[in-house]
Amino acid sequence: MGKPSKGSETGSKSDKKFEKKLQFYTKVKDTLTSLSVQKEIGKKKKTRSRQKKLKAYDLSTLSEFLPEVNASQKLAPPAPDLKMNCKRRQELVLSEGERLNKVLDHPAFQADPIGSIFQHLQSEQPPVEEKPKKKNNTNGSKKRKNRKKGKVESMDF
């Protein structure tokens, strides 16, 4: 292209280099297309396996075997979303502020603030199960573990 050809040679050095470049570019193009096809196949397999996993967790078929639930139990309040955005945070601040004002205006809280807080915490906490204490000996001393000192057991073969 840029260089004149030498004598009567049909394929000069620059022409051979150019042909090699073309072959290289075609190989690269072929591998890229094959890789993209493999990626698409892989993505399809992933979605299929996810759908199969979702089907494994589908418990709608069990509903015919379970007893019916009363309408009052079905209307339980939905679980609150855990994501906190600006609007939800503002609503929470307002509702908690109203609750604080109600507590501060309550006559039991005004009479004995610490006592009413203690009573509220006692009513909110689940009952604590007490573990039975370990029994002491009749004379009140601690038991000592029997240790075998100096005795070596022989192994028979």
Side-chain angles (χ1 to χ4, degrees), residues 37-131:
V37 169
Q38 288 177 356
K39 279 186 181 179
E40 288 177 10
I41 293 171
K43 286 181 183 178
K44 288 179 184 177
K45 285 183 182 177
K46 285 181 184 178
T47 56
R48 288 179 189 158
S49 65
R50 285 181 187 159
Q51 289 173 351
K52 287 179 184 177
K53 288 178 185 176
L54 289 176
K55 286 180 183 177
Y57 293 116
D58 184 23
L59 303 177
S60 61
T61 57
L62 292 177
S63 63
E64 61 190 41
F65 299 110
L66 295 174
E68 291 297 321
V69 181
N70 295 338
S72 62
Q73 292 176 350
K74 284 184 179 179
L75 298 175
D81 292 334
L82 298 177
K83 292 185 178 180
M84 183 67 69
N85 57 17
C86 185
K87 184 178 180 182
R88 190 153 304 163
R89 188 178 294 116
Q90 213 166 18
E91 290 173 357
L92 183 66
V93 167
L94 290 174
S95 64
E96 290 298 322
E98 290 173 5
R99 185 183 295 180
L100 179 64
N101 287 333
K102 287 180 183 177
V103 169
L104 292 175
D105 293 338
H106 198 274
F109 183 80
Q110 289 176 351
D112 185 20
I114 294 177
S116 61
I117 291 173
F118 181 74
Q119 184 182 7
H120 171 71
L121 290 176
Q122 289 295 325
S123 65
E124 291 295 316
Q125 294 293 325
V128 178
E129 296 178 13
E130 294 183 18
K131 295 180 181 178

Side-chain angles (χ1 to χ4, degrees), residues 126-149:
V128 178
E129 296 178 13
E130 294 183 18
K131 295 180 181 178
K133 295 182 180 179
K134 294 181 180 178
K135 294 182 180 178
N136 289 340
N137 285 346
T138 56
N139 60 5
S141 65
K142 296 180 180 178
K143 283 187 176 179
R144 293 183 184 162
K145 293 183 179 179
N146 294 334
R147 295 182 183 167
K148 296 179 181 178
K149 293 186 177 179

Side-chain angles (χ1 to χ4, degrees), residues 1-31:
M1 301 223 167
K3 296 182 179 181
S5 62
K6 293 184 181 177
S8 63
E9 289 184 26
T10 57
S12 67
K13 196 173 188 180
S14 61
D15 289 338
K16 288 180 183 177
K17 282 186 179 180
F18 183 71
E19 288 296 323
K20 282 187 177 182
K21 282 184 185 180
L22 287 177
Q23 289 175 354
F24 175 73
Y25 287 136
T26 55
K27 284 182 183 179
V28 169
K29 187 178 179 181
D30 292 340
T31 54

